[in-house]
Amino acid sequence: MAKALRQPATYEDLLKVPEHLVAELIDGELFTNPRPTYHHASAGGRLYRRLGNTYEDGDGGPGGWWILPEVELHLGGDALVPDIAGWRRERMPELPSAHYSTVVPDWVCEVISPSTGRLDRIRKMPVYASHGVPHAWLIDPMQKTLEVFRLSDGHWLLIAAHEGEDVVRAEPFDAIELNLGYLWVD
């Protein structure tokens, strides 16, 4: 007996997802996850504040970026929500007026959690690479790690891995030191 083909999910399907869930559309498949845990939210929030103050506002750093949490990216037919994304202002001088952006970010950061780790690594990272996002970070607040990736010939190259209380300079934000211990909740 022939199996019925499932229709790909659409953006309209994504819009029907209850607001208490994070919804993403990747290769015609709809993914939903609960809102982040406190460890996840704390690590992402602390990193957002540190980079935002330094790179968006220019407080003690070079400025010149937009750093935004949980923005909706429309990349081709995909709708993704990275935990944090950044654009150089020379490429995106003004923030979009829509609730989403079609401008490819210069950097994305995914905060890994048990419910999102596989999706972030296996499904989202290849989409970011295929659209030319030059830099990506994966932060795991439970393992207390930071993995720093650079896009090279369409593939992710792991250029650094840090852990615990390391004080690091991680591209593309290597103009400042980042104390990883600041990100973790004890």
Side-chain angles (χ1 to χ4, degrees):
M1 177 186 252
K3 194 174 192 179
L5 295 177
R6 193 181 79 195
Q7 294 293 320
T10 65
Y11 191 71
E12 287 71 35
D13 296 322
L14 182 142
L15 292 174
K16 293 176 188 173
V17 172
E19 288 186 23
H20 69 279
L21 297 173
V22 177
E24 298 178 289
L25 186 62
I26 304 171
D27 293 327
E29 191 172 349
L30 182 63
F31 294 89
T32 61
N33 284 295
R35 290 283 169 193
T37 64
Y38 284 100
H39 284 84
H40 180 125
S42 179
R46 288 171 182 226
L47 180 62
Y48 163 70
R49 287 191 304 275
R50 176 71 166 107
L51 294 180
N53 288 342
T54 305
Y55 282 89
E56 188 170 342
D57 299 336
D59 182 14
W65 285 74
W66 296 112
I67 307 290
L68 300 169
E70 295 189 347
V71 294
E72 187 173 305
L73 301 176
H74 288 202
L75 304 176
D78 299 317
L80 306 170
V81 182
D83 290 297
I84 313 170
W87 292 261
R88 294 180 190 275
R89 289 191 187 192
E90 62 205 27
R91 289 190 50 253
M92 189 170 81
E94 296 180 1
L95 292 175
S97 58
H99 70 278
Y100 60 87
S101 175
T102 59
V103 177
V104 174
D106 294 292
W107 167 81
V108 293
C109 177
E110 295 290 357
V111 181
I112 303 297
S113 66
S115 64
T116 65
R118 181 176 292 154
L119 178 66
D120 291 338
R121 289 179 183 280
I122 305 301
R123 301 298 297 268
K124 292 173 75 172
M125 289 289 283
V127 172
Y128 296 140
S130 71
H131 288 279
V133 176
H135 301 279
W137 290 6
L138 295 178
I139 292 180
D140 186 330
M142 301 312 288
Q143 298 296 317
K144 299 181 179 178
T145 60
L146 164 64
E147 295 170 88
V148 180
F149 296 89
R150 180 188 318 133
L151 193 63
S152 177
D153 296 322
H155 301 283
W156 290 116
L157 176 64
L158 176 63
I159 58 169
H162 307 283
E163 65 179 341
E165 306 289 319
D166 289 353
V167 177
V168 304
R169 289 184 182 268
E171 64 178 60
F173 303 112
D174 47 352
I176 63 164
E177 288 186 336
L178 177 63
N179 180 346
L180 293 184
Y182 171 71
L183 303 180
W184 319 133
V185 175
D186 292 328

